Amino acid sequence: MEASPLKKLEQLEFSLDSVTDLSSSPSASPSSPAVATFSCVDGVTELRFLQSDSTHCFTFDLASAQLFKLGTVQFICVSDDNSEERSFSKGVNIKFGSEKDSKEFCDSFEEWRKDALVPGSSTVSASNSKFDEKIEASSAKMYFHYYGQLLHQQNMLQDYVRTGTYYAAVMENRSDFAGRVVVDVGAGSGILSMFAAQAGAKHVYAVEASEMAEYARKLIAGNPLFADRITVIKGKVEDIELPEKADILISEPMGTLLVNERMLESYVIARDRFMSPNGKMFPTVGRIHMAPFSDEFLFIEMANKAFFWQQQNYYGVDLTPLFGSAHQGYFSQPVVDAFDPRLLVAPPTFHTIDFTQMKEEDFYEIDIPLKFTSSVCTRVHGLACWFDVLFDGSTVQRWLTTAPGAPTTHWYQIRCVLAQPIYVMAGQEITGRLHLVAHSAQSYTIDLTLSAKMWGPGASQGGILQSSTGKFDLKEPYYRMSQPQAYPAAQEPPLPPQPQLNPQDIQIQSDDFEEELLQEPAQNASTQL
């Protein structure tokens, strides 16, 4: 068996240009040349920094030490005190004479620290991670694999409503970012970190748990105007440590229905761990909007899916015993698509989630009472939902919305279709409940109830005329994602002349344009009919 590196080499030294104690002012602790030494004494792996003109030595236990890159030759080395608060007991700013020396030191640091983190160590390990305690391993693996791929990052970057709104929210509020420390929670490609750096941030810590962290490092390194002010840290916000508090938290933690993927919990955990008391969060507030809808086409489409299981002679096999289960399964899928806002049968209501105040545990169960007044006489097929978020900057307040009728985003909207529609009259009250319960697959189980109260003579005595319920798994939606269907009404005004598109627009919109061309004959035919 090959011997451990620590047994092969008991000590390793590196020359440094300077070492400065972070706990004292620069004048009280002037920088001077020093020597960094890795050593293993009585089974304890240590890193020591000894200044050449002083007898003082900074000693770090590698089992609890962390290294943060500030530039190509400058780093911060910190060590926590192993208390419940996981605060830092000491730290030093170190500087090398060349990039080659700094790289060799970093490689050695990782190797020696790897050997220090042996099983049974008192250091907090990944197995004790708060994230791992509440999220099942298989879900987390698929989640980080998905976001570790460039094609999915491109999908989000090409959502110009999303990316453009973030850029505007940051650049219009430069005063919030200039000279400030920023933490980018779930940095992905690092695009928001670079926005913050463009706005004048003093330093940005880009925290990313997936393999996308390596791509982010490469992208940031290729933009030298920002590279020295952005540090990419690979890890979960629940586990990593930072050398300083943040003035600003920026993140894109929103999922379908705002809360899907449960990243909002990590967002508020980062707030509690890293943000200074008077810090700001971008985004600041989220709202879930809800309204009952009527869509006969969608309802029939959902119901028809299960008809396959009504065949009594499918190659000699009777499939009907599974029809009920199939029907229930299809109606347990929330529908993700873009729909025409004229399908809504009542003015929407909303539920507010303040990211600056919410506790992590508040996301485990969300209960929303529903109350609407129908605007039309129709059949209600379910509940439509979308969300928006507010960037509450000191200079400009900007909203990012996913509402129907607004420019479509990669979130689209979501609709919970009830297997049993309810009938309502204009002016009739619709009540109900939307109940979300988080589960370990990084999503939610949705329980929806819609009821129509008695209408007309005798309504003052109350009573429920009809009620319908449904259970949905937000983790398993039906990605319909069609563009809003045009109404076949002939009295619609003619479309205005279309502006000429440049080549970039044609390339971006080609998929939607082809879909419109394919749908156009059918729409014309229905109008004539």
Side-chain angles (χ1 to χ4, degrees):
M1 180 181 295
E2 186 178 359
S4 166
L6 295 184
K7 293 180 181 179
K8 290 180 179 179
L9 189 61
E10 295 296 332
Q11 187 166 304
L12 183 64
E13 290 186 353
F14 290 90
S15 297
L16 309 175
D17 269 13
S18 64
V19 172
T20 308
D21 188 356
L22 290 177
S23 62
S24 58
S25 64
S27 58
S29 178
S31 61
S32 62
V35 174
T37 305
F38 294 95
S39 63
C40 182
V41 180
D42 297 329
V44 178
T45 310
E46 294 180 337
L47 171 60
R48 294 189 180 94
F49 297 98
L50 178 63
Q51 293 177 326
S52 59
D53 58 353
S54 170
T55 58
H56 183 66
C57 180
F58 303 99
T59 304
F60 295 86
D61 182 350
L62 280 175
S64 60
Q66 293 194 57
L67 193 65
F68 298 95
K69 184 177 181 180
L70 299 182
T72 55
V73 296
Q74 191 172 5
F75 297 80
I76 291 177
C77 184
V78 294
S79 177
D80 63 64
D81 58 9
N82 289 326
S83 67
E84 291 183 1
E85 290 83 7
R86 299 300 309 279
S87 59
F88 292 108
S89 58
K90 55 189 171 183
V92 293
N93 190 323
I94 59 178
K95 189 175 181 180
F96 294 89
S98 67
E99 189 173 349
K100 178 184 177 183
D101 291 344
S102 67
K103 186 178 186 306
E104 290 178 354
F105 175 84
C106 289
D107 293 340
S108 299
F109 182 91
E110 292 299 326
E111 288 298 323
W112 281 75
R113 189 171 187 273
K114 193 180 299 180
D115 283 277
L117 296 175
V118 294
S121 169
S122 60
T123 305
V124 177
S125 65
S127 60
N128 295 324
S129 168
K130 193 170 186 179
F131 178 90
D132 295 334
E133 289 175 358
K134 65 183 182 181
I135 301 299
E136 61 186 48
S138 59
S139 175
K141 182 178 180 181
M142 290 299 298
Y143 175 78
F144 291 123
H145 173 73
Y146 179 90
Y147 285 107
Q149 300 181 64
L150 280 175
L151 69 158
H152 298 305
Q153 294 293 327
Q154 179 179 339
N155 178 48
M156 293 184 289
L157 291 172
Q158 286 185 316
D159 181 344
Y160 297 111
V161 176
R162 163 199 179 269
T163 308
T165 303
Y166 267 91
Y167 181 78
V170 173
M171 303 309 290
E172 290 171 348
N173 293 285
R174 290 173 180 265
S175 60
D176 291 327
F177 289 84
R180 307 296 174 85
V181 176
V182 179
V183 173
D184 184 356
V185 181
S189 64
I191 189 69
L192 301 185
S193 297
M194 287 183 278
F195 288 173
Q198 287 184 58
K202 175 185 175 183
H203 200 83
V204 184
Y205 296 97
V207 183
E208 173 57 40
S210 77
E211 295 303 317
M212 186 53 55
E214 299 303 323
Y215 289 109
R217 287 193 179 103
K218 187 175 181 180
L219 182 62
I220 292 167
N223 289 267
L225 289 177
F226 318 131
D228 289 345
R229 289 183 289 131
I230 301 176
T231 300
V232 178
I233 301 173
K234 188 174 187 295
K236 306 182 185 75
V237 294
E238 293 85 352
D239 304 335
I240 60 102
E241 300 292 341
L242 296 179
E244 55 187 328
K245 289 291 186 180
D247 304 301
I248 299 286
L249 284 190
I250 190 168
S251 181
E252 196 265 72
M254 300 88 72
T256 308
L257 195 60
L258 183 63
V259 296
N260 189 37
E261 296 180 346
R262 298 184 63 180
M263 190 180 165
L264 284 171
E265 296 167 38
S266 298
Y267 190 37
V268 300
I269 288 173
R271 175 201 68 195
D272 295 339
R273 299 192 65 212
F274 305 133
M275 195 172 78
S276 60
N278 297 320
K280 280 185 171 292
M281 300 178 73
F282 279 64
T284 317
V285 172
R287 299 187 303 185
I288 300 176
H289 296 258
M290 301 145 289
F293 73 92
S294 178
D295 191 341
E296 292 289 347
F297 292 106
L298 175 60
F299 178 77
I300 293 172
E301 178 185 333
M302 299 285 286
N304 282 347
K305 287 183 177 184
F307 283 169
F308 170 83
W309 298 96
Q310 283 196 325
Q311 299 179 79
Q312 295 179 339
N313 187 9
Y314 182 77
Y315 295 98
V317 177
D318 183 1
L319 301 181
T320 57
L322 295 181
F323 171 74
S325 299
H327 186 270
Q328 181 181 359
Y330 284 122
F331 277 93
S332 70
Q333 290 184 287
V335 178
V336 176
D337 70 347
F339 63 86
D340 193 309
R342 287 174 290 184
L343 296 174
L344 303 178
V345 302
T349 185
F350 63 84
H351 175 76
T352 302
I353 297 177
D354 187 344
F355 304 141
T356 66
Q357 301 296 325
M358 286 282 285
K359 299 178 181 178
E360 177 197 356
E361 294 76 14
D362 295 337
F363 288 99
Y364 293 173
E365 186 173 359
I366 301 173
D367 193 50
I368 306 173
L370 304 174
K371 186 176 181 179
F372 309 96
T373 300
S374 176
S375 304
V376 293
C377 176
T378 187
R379 287 211 308 175
V380 173
H381 294 103
L383 189 72
C385 305
W386 60 94
F387 70 86
D388 54 24
V389 293
L390 170 67
F391 300 90
D392 190 13
S394 300
T395 306
V396 176
Q397 291 185 329
R398 181 169 285 273
W399 288 91
L400 168 59
T401 182
T402 64
T408 304
T409 69
H410 78 283
W411 289 286
Y412 294 89
Q413 294 97 41
I414 188 169
R415 288 187 283 175
C416 297
V417 185
L418 295 170
Q420 180 59 56
I422 61 175
Y423 295 81
V424 295
M425 303 291 290
Q428 191 170 6
E429 186 176 271
I430 304 171
T431 58
R433 178 174 178 246
L434 183 67
H435 188 220
L436 308 177
V437 179
H439 57 66
S440 60
Q442 291 175 277
S443 194
Y444 285 80
T445 298
I446 303 174
D447 287 294
L448 171 64
T449 300
L450 288 181
S451 303
K453 297 191 71 174
M454 189 174 293
W455 184 84
S460 58
Q461 281 72 41
I464 299 297
L465 184 63
Q466 52 187 320
S467 183
S468 182
T469 62
K471 182 183 284 289
F472 308 86
D473 187 356
L474 191 56
K475 180 77 172 182
E476 300 293 341
Y478 164 35
Y479 286 106
R480 192 168 180 241
M481 297 189 297
S482 60
Q483 292 299 311
Q485 295 184 5
Y487 271 49
Q491 66 269 23
E492 284 191 343
L495 292 174
Q498 296 297 314
Q500 186 176 359
L501 300 177
N502 57 44
Q504 290 84 356
D505 292 333
I506 294 174
Q507 182 179 359
I508 293 169
Q509 301 176 4
S510 60
D511 293 342
D512 297 337
F513 185 62
E514 289 174 7
E515 184 177 359
E516 291 172 6
L517 288 177
L518 292 173
Q519 293 179 352
E520 191 169 330
Q523 292 170 358
N524 293 339
S526 61
T527 303
Q528 295 172 3
L529 181 61

